[in-house]
Amino acid sequence: GAGVSQSPSNKVTEKGKDVELRCDPISGHTALYWYRQSLGQGLEFLIYFQGNSAPDKSGLPSDRFSAERTGGSVSTLTIQRTQQEDSAVYLCASSLARRGLTDTQYFGPGTRLTVL
Amino acid sequence: AQSVAQPEDQVNVAEGNPLTVKCTYSVSGNPYLFWYVQYPNRGLQFLLKYITGDNLVKGSYGFEAEFNKSQTSFHLKKPSALVSDSALYFCAVSGPGYSTLTFGKGTMLLVSP
């Protein structure tokens, strides 16, 4: 079956512009995660959606970052007034997310964001 | 708080030799441990996980990992490395009551012919 898809695969923008990154999770997966991968920094958790519950936004680095998930499926990560330090690969993952976080997260291919 | 340490930025091994990629963790309660692999310009692919049960976990592509509670480790192993195993490997941990995975910084595995 189809995996997690993300678009665009690459995004180049100018400092100060807003960008939107899209994630389409695996069908039937109720949990959706956004991570940021910077060179040499591993994966940094950004935000987590679980069903209809309020999202866990504890990883968002600033109020310029926001995300929404419409209809419990597709999610959009928005970065306002982009800065050069926002340049990174943004990864989305989804899982069945039964209690206890034992379910495997499946990752999309990522969006490479470059802020000039 | 939960944390993961991958003490080696890079591991070099010759094809056909055994490989080990190290991971240690810290979490309150019983850990849930995962290994992922990332090939260039690709997302992360799941290799294996430990939730409970047998300490030796077998996963994809011939990889296995051993959970050691006393040493809080979950090292990734393979008896015979392939050049195609060359990639970036991530260890991750979670636990009861946590809603997210915490990833290590990754270890680059280079297998030479």
Side-chain angles (χ1 to χ4, degrees):
Chain A
V4 178
S5 60
Q6 292 186 246
S7 61
S9 55
N10 283 283
K11 177 70 175 180
V12 180
T13 190
E14 294 179 346
K15 178 181 174 181
K17 300 278 184 153
D18 297 352
V19 295
E20 286 190 351
L21 312 179
R22 176 189 168 104
C23 172
D24 202 337
I26 293 172
S27 178
H29 281 191
T30 59
L32 187 147
Y33 309 81
W34 283 98
Y35 295 89
R36 178 168 69 177
Q37 183 178 18
S38 304
L39 190 62
Q41 296 299 314
L43 268 72
E44 174 188 12
F45 163 74
L46 296 177
I47 189 169
Y48 159 55
F49 295 89
Q50 170 54 43
N52 295 321
S53 302
D56 177 352
K57 304 179 182 180
S58 60
L60 295 178
S62 77
D63 58 7
R64 295 186 296 104
F65 287 73
S66 63
E68 63 177 20
R69 189 178 184 190
T70 55
S73 181
V74 172
S75 177
T76 302
L77 177 69
T78 301
I79 308 174
Q80 295 179 313
R81 305 181 303 282
T82 52
Q83 304 293 313
Q84 289 182 331
E85 60 263 30
D86 299 333
S87 296
V89 176
Y90 289 82
L91 292 166
C92 175
S94 71
S95 76
L96 287 170
R98 289 181 288 261
R99 181 178 293 277
L101 202 65
T102 59
D103 285 309
T104 301
Q105 293 184 28
Y106 294 92
F107 284 79
T111 294
R112 182 176 298 276
L113 175 66
T114 304
V115 182
L116 301 177
Chain B
Q2 55 195 26
S3 65
V4 174
Q6 293 183 243
E8 301 153 318
D9 291 336
Q10 183 167 308
V11 170
N12 296 295
V13 64
E15 188 174 33
N17 284 356
L19 69 88
T20 298
V21 182
K22 296 180 180 178
C23 171
T24 58
Y25 67 89
S26 174
V27 68
S28 298
N30 293 324
Y32 307 139
L33 295 156
F34 298 77
W35 276 102
Y36 285 84
V37 60
Q38 186 177 36
Y39 297 98
N41 300 314
R42 303 281 294 275
L44 275 67
Q45 295 180 29
F46 169 73
L47 278 180
L48 52 80
K49 67 181 179 183
Y50 171 83
I51 304 301
T52 187
D54 194 348
N55 289 344
L56 184 63
V57 179
K58 294 186 183 296
S60 306
Y61 313 122
F63 284 93
E64 57 188 29
E66 186 167 14
F67 170 61
N68 187 316
K69 188 172 183 177
S70 63
Q71 298 185 1
T72 61
S73 67
F74 189 58
H75 302 330
L76 182 69
K77 300 182 179 184
K78 187 173 183 181
S80 179
L82 300 172
V83 172
S84 57
D85 292 330
S86 298
L88 185 59
Y89 289 80
F90 288 97
C91 181
V93 69
S94 185
Y98 294 96
S99 61
T100 64
L101 285 177
T102 296
F103 285 82
K105 291 190 175 183
T107 299
M108 179 63 71
L109 172 66
L110 294 176
V111 182
S112 55

